[in-house]
Amino acid sequence: MSVEIGKMNQIERLFFIVIYLTNHEFANARTLAELCNTSTRTIYRDIKKLEEVGFYFEVDFQYGYKLIHSPSKFGNHLTLEEFMALMFYPISRNLSKNHPLSIAYKKGIQKLVKYVKNVDENIETLLEQRIIYEKNSKNFKNNKVLPILINAMADNITIEADYYSMSRDKLNTRKLNPYVFVQREGNIYVVAYCHLREEVRVFRLDRFYDVKLTEEKFTILPSFNIENYLAERWSIMDEGVRTTFVVHFSSEVARYVLDQSFNVQPKFVKHDDGSITLTVTVKSKEEFLRWVRSFGLHATVISPEEIRKQLKYEYETLANRYK
């Protein structure tokens, strides 16, 4: 029996459609259906649902849908700045009262109070007590960087950034067009077009040392699609080479593997003894192997053969160290 992971529920699809059409001029139902792993008929129903809550679309028979009005800009709905301020609340609440992000945070809190019913506790107290963040998280060490990045992303402004490259062990200055925030494994990344390399790359938030807004405006490359860009990455890195893995997991850990959410879509085969076999193609070999190693003796790489030899050498070396 084969089980595929990755199909969106309706809420995820609605959010995705709005974000996608915010960053792309047009998209037809077939494209949206493929990206959401659903049918075009479902997309038609989703568009109708969005129209019911105040979204308006222009329909072009050649190019598809174009978002021309979003209710999030009006009334008591959260604006982009308010949503981002609440999303990054650990730094928003610590900024000066007059900082634009701090003001957006307060407005967002006031709107949340209207949304949440039958709650005796203060909303800010709920955020502090019911949502636990890492107190020493490196992602929030520089309160100046993130607000500037958010402003640049919201207004499509090119930034000049001092960025530390781990692989080169060097701090250099780059001009970037920030496209998308991506959260992976406790870190926040910025997907941005790099003027130096003339291509879209991934930058980790805590490695930005300084960020300045320039006077340049940018438009997202028409060919850019965040789902396609992150496709076949186990986590966030792209090593450039596609590798197909087949891994067997014992019955002791099978249910934990199946319960996880993945950025790619592995295929699973369930066996009569409760174990499972996973097959997946990734361009992040080292990231994937770190994940496999975390299961210890409960995970066995079936293929490729060169990876089996690599792991055999690693485990024999470790065994000798512990003799």
Side-chain angles (χ1 to χ4, degrees), residues 60-296:
D60 185 288
F61 289 103
Q62 181 177 358
Y63 297 106
Y65 296 104
K66 178 179 181 179
L67 179 63
I68 59 175
H69 171 74
S70 170
S72 62
K73 298 179 181 179
F74 304 94
N76 290 328
H77 295 273
L78 294 176
T79 64
L80 173 64
E81 289 77 11
E82 290 162 358
F83 175 80
M84 296 300 288
L86 291 170
M87 179 180 175
F88 295 108
Y89 114 96
I91 68 163
S92 303
R93 62 174 183 162
N94 292 324
L95 295 172
S96 65
K97 293 182 178 180
N98 295 324
H99 193 284
L101 200 59
S102 180
I103 295 172
Y105 172 75
K106 291 295 183 184
K107 289 182 178 178
I109 288 292
Q110 292 170 2
K111 291 179 180 180
L112 282 181
V113 171
K114 295 181 181 179
Y115 296 151
V116 181
K117 299 178 181 179
N118 302 321
V119 176
D120 296 329
E121 299 173 79
N122 180 276
I123 293 295
E124 290 188 83
T125 302
L126 282 176
L127 285 175
E128 293 179 3
Q129 296 181 353
R130 304 291 182 86
I131 304 176
I132 305 300
Y133 292 84
E134 296 180 51
K135 293 182 179 180
N136 298 318
S137 174
K138 292 185 293 183
N139 284 326
F140 304 109
K141 68 180 181 181
N142 191 336
N143 286 353
K144 297 179 180 179
V145 168
L146 187 56
I148 296 174
L149 280 170
I150 292 173
N151 291 338
M153 193 174 295
D155 296 326
N156 287 351
I157 299 175
T158 298
I159 61 170
E160 186 174 274
D162 291 337
Y163 184 79
Y164 172 70
S165 174
M166 180 69 75
S167 59
R168 295 179 177 83
D169 191 22
K170 183 180 179 181
L171 186 70
N172 55 32
T173 301
R174 301 176 184 230
K175 288 179 70 176
L176 306 173
N177 299 343
Y179 284 3
V180 182
F181 283 120
V182 179
Q183 189 168 8
R184 290 285 190 271
E185 299 177 348
N187 289 301
I188 297 173
Y189 297 86
V190 180
V191 178
Y193 176 83
C194 177
H195 289 237
L196 176 65
R197 303 300 180 190
E198 297 185 339
E199 63 180 1
V200 178
R201 291 198 165 193
V202 176
F203 302 88
R204 212 168 90 174
L205 181 61
D206 61 286
R207 293 180 185 158
F208 284 91
Y209 279 72
D210 190 27
V211 174
K212 298 177 182 177
L213 295 175
T214 69
E215 296 182 355
E216 301 175 31
K217 299 278 285 187
F218 71 85
T219 56
I220 296 177
L221 292 172
S223 59
F224 176 77
N225 177 285
I226 187 61
E227 287 73 32
N228 293 340
Y229 183 75
L230 296 177
E232 296 187 345
R233 300 178 187 221
W234 186 249
S235 178
I236 192 69
M237 303 312 298
D238 182 349
E239 297 168 24
V241 179
R242 299 171 81 248
T243 305
T244 298
F245 286 92
V246 179
V247 184
H248 180 265
F249 293 91
S250 71
S251 59
E252 287 84 353
V253 300
R255 62 184 181 277
Y256 300 108
V257 175
L258 290 171
D259 190 51
Q260 293 190 32
S261 297
F262 301 96
N263 303 315
V264 295
Q265 295 185 6
K267 292 183 179 179
F268 294 100
V269 175
K270 296 181 179 180
H271 304 291
D272 293 340
D273 63 355
S275 64
I276 58 172
T277 299
L278 171 152
T279 301
V280 68
T281 299
V282 296
K283 293 188 290 186
S284 312
K285 181 180 70 174
E286 293 305 321
E287 285 182 336
F288 180 77
L289 284 178
R290 281 198 293 271
W291 177 73
V292 170
R293 290 187 186 100
S294 69
F295 290 94

